[in-house]
Structure formats: structure tokens, C-alpha cells
Amino acid sequence: MTRTSPPPLITGPLPGRLTPAAKNLRIATALGPAFVAAIAYLDPGNFATNFAAGSSTGYRLVWVVVLANVVAMPIQYLAAKLGIVTGQSLPQLCRATMGRRSRWVMWGQAEIVAMATDLAEFVGAAIGLNLLFGMPLPLAAVITAVLAFAILAFQRRGHRPFELAVGAMLALICAGFLYTTLRIPPSATGVLGGLIPNFAGDDTLLLAVGIIGATVMPHAIYLHSGLMSNRVGVAGDTCRTKMLHFARLDIGIAMGIAGLVNLSMLAVAAKLFYGGPGTPAIGLGEVHNRFAETIGGSVALAFAAALLASGISSSSVGTAAGQIIMDGFLNLRIATWLRRAITMTPAVVLLMSGLDPTKALVLSQVTLSFGIPFALGALLWLTSRRDIMGEHVNTRTMTAGMAAVVAVLSGLNLMLLGQQLTTWLT
């Protein structure tokens, strides 16, 4: 284990001058981190929650998917802005500005979120290997770990190789669902009708919170701020402003793609599997089987390949986020293989226990939703401080809007807790 010293709280203009061409070239390298973060928005938890929601509620929760992805854009922009302006990640700034007790609470809940994320990613990739090759789930989990390490190895060669590897996985996921959507075109009327907010149904709230947890993922906030904190040398506020422009473009494209894929999952499930009120939620294994039975083996193959690519790539991204969390909050770095071994243990135990992996995926996403107010609250607090952000401090409109998002997400969590407690007591 090694300890690292954090950079100064506020970074000023860096020494040295660059030619205009060199500046543009270095700023252009800001493009890419949002696509890494976007993998977190398309991990196996999204597969589980979106297909469960579409199969059991039809198009009723389309508005949740759309709203979650729209809200994700300003959230990821604030995370990127924090890293660009300060040169530090969100966990590092929490360590520098919070008291000891608050810092440990933030680290503890962030680690719980990271473990829930790892569980979803490992289970999803293992299901993908099982569907493609008939591989036992415990063995598939181990192979997933090996493949995730292989992708992480690209990070040692710099940002770009790692981003290209993750981007290739993202392209595979998108190609799989583009093909699936073309083969199973959803109902335009159903999708438009689903844009009207509706919580009717016993499990609708649970699935809605699960979708939000699977989409607005807390570890993606920590990750994006860390990726941008040491991205390129920025010579002054003019270049920072240009980098922020590129970051907005990067986020708009990446989050837009992720949103369309998430919408495709739910809409395809609603079109093919929803049979009216009382239709049970469908698991990922059953999705694959019914694709093969009703549409054809090619659609089933595209689904399984996309699920495997999602699990492997998001597992690598989750490990990178976990390092940023521990290094930032505790100023402590451990070997990647050791962290991976620790966080993959719950997933392996789950797979060996014989429990329903799809239900575990949905519940893991609900767990993630409870970490959102912590990460988003800290992000909003820091980016609203002029002593940290300078001229790039949040506007009053942005602060008010994001405060409303935190309040709404916290309210949904409390509603879910109340509903579950009522169910258990009765």
C-alpha cells in the first residue's frame, strides 16, 4: 500500500506556453472520458431493470428512463467541471474540505456503492458467458475478472488506449441493440404514452427507483471527476473554458447514446414480453430464451454478446472508479488485483449460492440509488463554492435545479423505504 499526496486545493495557470495548435490538440484529448462514464449507464444492472420494467409494466416507465438520462447530463458535466477547474477528483476535494467523521461516512457509503456496482457487473457478465457458451456461473465470474484485468491493462499505457478499448465495447452494445430494435420495432404510440408520469402498480416504484439507480450511478460521478482532474495541462482560464466546451460536447454525445440504448431495452421488452396487468417481470436468461424462440437465434446472440460486453467493460470502469474513491477519500492506494479480489467476492458468493441473479441485479441498482444523494450533494456543494471554482462556480439556476434533483431522488428513496416497510409489516 502506498500513500499519495493530494494536489493543491485550487490549481492556477500552469507554467509554460503552448502554440495555438498545440493547445487545441491537447484540449481535444478531453474527448473520451464521458464515453467511459457512459458504460456505467449501460451496465448489466440497466439490462435487468429495463427488461424487468418493460416486461411487467409495458411502456409505463418510459418517462423514468428518459428523465434519468436527461438528468445525468448536467450531473456528469458538474463532475467533469470540478475535475477540470480544480485539478482534483470529487473524493480528493471531500477529503480536503470535510471533517474526519464526514469523510469516513462518505468513504463508507461510496465503498458500499462500489461493491453493489461490482456485483451487478460480475453477475451480468457471468450470465452473458453462460448464455453464449453454457458456462457455469461461478467459472464465468472468474473469467470475467480476468477479462476485466485485460482491459484495465490498457490504462497503464495512457488514457487513450483504455478509452478506445471501453469505446469498442460500447460500440458492440449499441450495435447489438440497434439490430434488436430493427428486428423488434417498438410501438411509437406506446413510447409517447409512456412519457406521461405514472406510478400505478405494486412494483412500479421499486422498478422506477431501480432504473434511476442503474442510470444515475454514483460511482460514475466520482469516476468522471477523477478522469478529468489529470487529463491535460491547462494554461489559464481561457483554456479551461475551451475544455469545458469539449466536455459538454463529449457528455452530450455519450449520454445521448446511453439514453437511446436504455430506452431501446425497455421498449423492446414492452413490445415483446408485456401481456397486460399482472405480467411478471422477466429475467435475463428468459429474455435470451424467448428471443431465440420468437424472433430467432441472431437476436438472442446479439443480446447475449451485448450483455457480456457490458459486464466486462463496466467491471473495468468500476475498478477504476474504486481506485479513485479509495485514493481520494483516504489518500490510500492498494494493488488493483487486491481491490478486485475484495469487491468480486460478494458476486462469486451470490453466483455459487444459487440465488436468482436477475433479482440480485435489480436490488443492487436500488442500493445504488441510495448513494446518489451523497455523491450528488457533495458535488453540488463543492461546485457552488466560489473559493474552489472561481469564475466557473455554478449559477443560481444550476444550483437550484440540482438541489431539486437531490430532493426528488431522496424523496423517491424514502417512498420506496416506506412502501417496503409497509409490505413487510403487513
Side-chain angles (χ1 to χ4, degrees):
M1 298 183 184
T2 58
R3 292 186 178 272
T4 57
S5 298
L9 184 58
I10 304 177
T11 59
L14 299 178
R17 293 185 178 276
L18 299 173
T19 65
K23 286 182 179 180
N24 290 334
L25 178 63
R26 297 183 71 183
I27 292 174
T29 61
L31 296 176
F35 285 85
V36 176
I39 284 293
Y41 291 75
L42 292 173
D43 78 347
N46 292 88
F47 282 66
T49 53
N50 288 327
F51 275 98
S55 61
S56 62
T57 68
Y59 297 99
R60 196 176 302 157
L61 294 180
V62 164
W63 69 275
V64 178
V65 174
V66 173
L67 181 62
N69 281 274
V70 169
V71 168
M73 293 186 184
I75 290 175
Q76 293 304 137
Y77 174 69
L78 289 185
K81 182 173 76 168
L82 185 70
I84 291 170
V85 174
T86 67
Q88 297 185 65
S89 68
L90 174 58
Q92 285 176 320
L93 285 165
C94 287
R95 188 178 83 239
T97 56
M98 291 181 175
R100 180 181 177 86
R101 181 176 298 177
S102 298
R103 187 168 68 245
W104 278 92
V105 169
M106 287 292 294
W107 171 75
Q109 63 82 29
E111 288 292 351
I112 293 173
V113 164
M115 294 189 75
T117 301
D118 269 346
L119 187 148
E121 292 156 355
F122 268 87
V123 170
I127 293 174
L129 285 170
N130 174 263
L131 296 177
L132 283 171
F133 307 110
M135 189 178 297
L137 290 178
L139 176 60
V142 175
I143 293 179
T144 298
V146 174
L147 294 174
F149 277 124
I151 295 179
L152 279 171
F154 285 100
Q155 199 172 25
R156 298 176 184 175
R157 302 184 179 184
H159 296 289
R160 190 57 68 188
F162 177 63
E163 289 166 5
L164 290 175
V166 173
M169 292 291 185
L170 178 62
L172 179 58
I173 297 169
C174 293
F177 276 96
L178 175 62
Y179 177 73
T180 302
T181 305
L182 291 175
R183 291 291 305 274
I184 314 169
S187 166
T189 304
V191 172
L192 290 175
L195 292 174
I196 301 174
N198 183 356
F199 273 128
D202 293 337
D203 293 331
T204 308
L205 179 60
L206 174 65
L207 289 168
V209 175
I211 289 172
I212 293 171
T215 306
V216 188
M217 300 190 76
H219 80 288
I221 299 174
Y222 301 121
L223 172 71
H224 206 165
S225 67
L227 291 175
M228 298 306 295
S229 66
N230 56 4
R231 187 69 185 175
V232 292
V234 183
D237 285 332
T238 300
C239 289
R240 285 196 183 97
T241 301
K242 290 182 179 179
M243 277 196 70
L244 290 172
H245 169 73
F246 278 105
R248 283 193 291 269
L249 178 63
D250 193 32
I251 291 166
I253 296 172
M255 296 298 116
I257 292 173
L260 288 175
V261 175
N262 278 314
L263 182 59
S264 169
M265 293 181 194
L266 186 144
V268 166
K271 173 68 177 294
L272 197 61
F273 306 131
Y274 181 61
T279 303
I282 191 171
L284 295 179
E286 190 177 353
V287 170
H288 177 267
N289 294 337
R290 291 179 64 175
F291 273 155
E293 294 170 359
T294 59
I295 306 299
S298 59
V299 174
L301 177 63
F303 169 79
L307 179 59
L308 177 59
S310 168
I312 294 171
S313 56
S314 60
S315 181
S316 303
V317 170
T319 299
Q323 291 286 19
I324 289 173
I325 288 170
M326 179 170 286
D327 185 29
F329 283 118
L330 302 184
N331 193 22
L332 181 67
R333 179 176 291 272
I334 65 175
T336 303
W337 67 266
L338 179 58
R339 179 173 185 86
R340 172 51 67 210
I342 294 172
T343 54
M344 72 179 283
T345 299
V348 175
V349 171
L350 172 70
L351 293 171
M352 290 182 174
S353 68
L355 295 176
D356 184 350
T358 300
K359 288 184 179 179
L361 281 174
V362 174
L363 291 176
S364 72
Q365 303 313 295
V366 174
T367 301
L368 292 180
S369 73
F370 287 93
I372 295 172
F374 289 94
L376 189 52
L379 178 66
L380 180 61
W381 173 60
L382 290 169
T383 53
S384 299
R385 289 180 53 172
R386 187 170 294 276
D387 60 325
I388 292 176
M389 302 299 294
E391 68 178 66
H392 300 288
V393 67
N394 292 342
T395 64
R396 291 182 178 179
T397 301
M398 173 65 80
T399 300
M402 297 312 295
V405 169
V406 175
V408 169
L409 294 178
S410 300
L412 286 174
N413 289 336
L414 291 175
M415 287 174 60
L416 176 62
L417 277 177
Q419 184 185 76
Q420 295 302 308
L421 285 173
T422 302
T423 300
W424 292 333
L425 289 175
T426 56

